[in-house]
Amino acid sequence: MKNNSVFKRITMLSIVSVMTFSLVACVEKEPSNAADSASENGEKVIKMGRVTSANPKLPEGDTYEDNAYTRLVEEKLGAKIVNAFEGEGEDYTRQVALAISSGELPDMMRVDSREELKELVENDLIADLSDVYDENASDYIKDIYNSYDGRSLEDASFDGRLMALPATIGDEAPNMIWIRKDWTEKLGLEIDADGDRLITLDELEKTAKAFIEKDPGGTGNPIGIPMAYWLNSGSYGGSALNMTSIAGIFNAYPRFWLEDENGNITNGSITEGTKQALGVLSDWYKEGILDPQFGTRTWDDIMALVTNGQTGIVTGPWHIPDWGLSTVREMDKNANFEAYTLEDENGKVNVAHTNPTGAFIVVRKDYEHPELAIEILNLFYDELANSKDLATDYPEVAEYKELGVDGSTRPFNIEVLKSDNLLFDYSNIMGAVNGEIEMEEIASSEARDAATSIMKYTENPAEADTADWSKYHSRVKGMGMIDKLTKEDKFNWVTPVYYGNTETLEKKGANLLKLEEEDFIKIVTGAEPLDYFDTFVSNWKSQGGDEIIAEIEEVLAEEE
């Protein structure tokens, strides 16, 4: 294994460890002598680093170390979980740093970046799981990972060997355009005449202009389209109030690391397509379509515009009705939104795959029972997930579901979901809503709750509460659009070549994002002409961008 540059970071982590030793000492549990080995009285023992939550909602008497989930591991797998350390957020991150720098790892723990995983591999601290995965993983678990076309297992592999079990996060694209349907109906506006949920820039412009001219919210100060000053996000989950959908028209993916047409690594923020998208926003700003105060409003300011009826157009992910648009319903019982997305000149919706992993479960090298990590995976993400009668099969777990006990109380605080999990949930929800399947057949309690809310909303939309309104909008309209466009093969998926961090990206990444935000605001508001984008690209490259690209190319070359 390569060790160059790693020990520099190990030294830095050691400094962090010294600073946090007293904190860790308070949190770390004193294991029994039996826990120092891999078995106790014939029972296997797993010393584990656990990611906790401030409010796990555990029943009285239960703890992270002794609860329905850990008891299930003991009953089914004959293994007792002993917490080496517990922590939340930065506290947990510091404890992982201490474990890595000291070389004293628990038997299993979660690491939250590929950079940490790489350190563990290069310092020969964790087990190669290739063979135990092949021999022990259930067919369903293998199907989950295979649904990512190898991307997820590749993220956890080095030199062709599987060194961790990756968490998996399904895609949530595209960025949607949420438009007040009650307003378009009030004004007699025709939008999306063919009902395919795809609209053009012209249709969006005309709708925004009509909202400005007619002021259907009756506020006296209507705003066309508000957008946050940062304009972009490297995740579709953070796509609210940004230009992702507009950039997609021009096959641009700001803040994603991509391979260009010549095979070179680039960043989506510096491509010609992003320049074209900024040109659209600049024109909109001049015409008054874009919020005149773009660049100065806070998130709260913009959400206030939406809530009080000054604007009826919001960009965001499928779930924005649950946490953003719901405030509109609180103020106006007649409020109703429709979800659309922008199509390119070929009638396609261009989207980038998000990071399929983000977290990993690792096993200490030389731990006697590495197969237990796979068996835990099978138990929680196959057997429990696919149980048709949870109350009968696993009554304690079913009770936890009813109580809303936090998922962090499971041994591995990760999700392992198929890439199309969102569509699977949608199919189950709508199957129950349409009477095609019984509610009890839905394994996910969250999906069952959504189906119940949708039924309540559809029975009496005018009197339904806000929670039911939100679930109807996010699932039927948000998820529903993704399902429709998937079945109609409308998505053009692009796979970024790199999701991780590099030494220069860690040092200079924040400054590059600041440069991007400031220069994009200047271009959109007309403080600088559109061609100033070329100056931005030059500055971006000279201020660290070229160094980062070179480092990414080196990493990718090593992994080939």
Side-chain angles (χ1 to χ4, degrees), residues 134 161 221 269 302 374:
D134 288 341
R161 307 302 294 174
N221 185 24
S269 293
I302 297 173
I374 316 299

Side-chain angles (χ1 to χ4, degrees), residues 55-94:
N55 182 25
K57 299 182 181 179
L58 282 163
E60 185 176 354
D62 281 2
T63 67
Y64 270 93
E65 194 170 71
D66 182 12
N67 61 57
Y69 296 126
T70 60
R71 290 190 288 270
L72 190 61
V73 170
E74 196 162 4
E75 175 193 341
K76 289 280 192 177
L77 306 181
K80 181 178 181 179
I81 292 175
V82 176
N83 290 356
F85 57 79
E86 298 177 1
E88 181 183 8
E90 292 183 3
D91 176 25
Y92 181 79
T93 301
R94 284 191 291 265

Side-chain angles (χ1 to χ4, degrees), residues 34-268:
D36 290 336
S37 65
S39 63
E40 176 183 352
N41 299 324
E43 183 180 53
K44 301 165 190 172
V45 172
I46 310 170
K47 291 198 294 182
M48 207 175 270
R50 302 285 297 281
V51 183
T52 61
S53 168
N55 182 25
K57 299 182 181 179
L58 282 163
E60 185 176 354
D62 281 2
T63 67
Y64 270 93
E65 194 170 71
D66 182 12
N67 61 57
Y69 296 126
T70 60
R71 290 190 288 270
L72 190 61
V73 170
E74 196 162 4
E75 175 193 341
K76 289 280 192 177
L77 306 181
K80 181 178 181 179
I81 292 175
V82 176
N83 290 356
F85 57 79
E86 298 177 1
E88 181 183 8
E90 292 183 3
D91 176 25
Y92 181 79
T93 301
R94 284 191 291 265
Q95 294 186 67
V96 170
L98 173 64
I100 296 175
S101 62
S102 67
E104 297 292 327
L105 269 59
D107 299 326
M108 299 178 196
M109 69 177 181
R110 188 182 94 180
V111 295
D112 289 335
S113 72
R114 197 172 192 276
E115 289 65 49
E116 287 175 315
L117 177 59
K118 186 178 180 184
E119 287 180 19
L120 290 165
V121 171
E122 291 181 330
N123 287 279
D124 200 20
L125 294 173
I126 55 176
D128 179 344
L129 301 177
S130 304
D131 294 336
V132 290
Y133 173 80
D134 288 341
E135 294 166 7
N136 295 281
S138 70
D139 289 342
Y140 183 77
I141 292 297
K142 289 178 179 177
D143 284 345
I144 290 177
Y145 286 129
N146 290 339
S147 73
Y148 292 87
D149 297 324
R151 289 181 293 132
S152 142
L153 291 180
E154 282 176 14
D155 276 353
S157 298
F158 295 79
D159 297 326
R161 307 302 294 174
L162 183 66
M163 302 304 295
L165 301 176
T168 59
I169 305 165
D171 284 305
E172 295 186 346
N175 189 14
M176 300 179 182
I177 312 293
W178 292 87
I179 299 177
R180 285 283 294 263
K181 185 179 180 182
D182 54 313
W183 288 5
T184 58
E185 290 175 343
K186 179 179 180 179
L187 301 179
L189 297 177
E190 184 177 69
I191 182 171
D192 187 33
D194 58 8
D196 64 0
R197 311 291 286 280
L198 304 179
I199 61 175
T200 64
L201 272 179
D202 285 343
E203 288 177 303
L204 180 56
E205 283 182 24
K206 288 176 183 176
T207 304
K209 285 179 180 178
F211 285 178
I212 294 169
E213 293 167 2
K214 307 289 178 137
D215 188 18
T219 63
N221 185 24
I223 302 297
I225 302 174
M227 285 195 180
Y229 67 84
W230 53 84
L231 276 182
N232 291 299
S233 169
S235 162
Y236 279 102
S239 61
L241 309 180
N242 69 36
M243 70 177 215
T244 305
S245 55
I246 297 167
I249 295 174
F250 303 104
N251 211 29
Y253 313 93
R255 300 195 182 182
F256 284 92
W257 297 102
L258 309 160
E259 186 175 89
D260 67 18
E261 62 276 8
N262 298 315
N264 299 315
I265 305 302
T266 188
N267 187 280

Side-chain angles (χ1 to χ4, degrees), residues 27-41:
V27 178
E28 186 168 351
K29 298 185 180 296
E30 191 71 40
S32 66
N33 291 334
D36 290 336
S37 65
S39 63
E40 176 183 352
N41 299 324

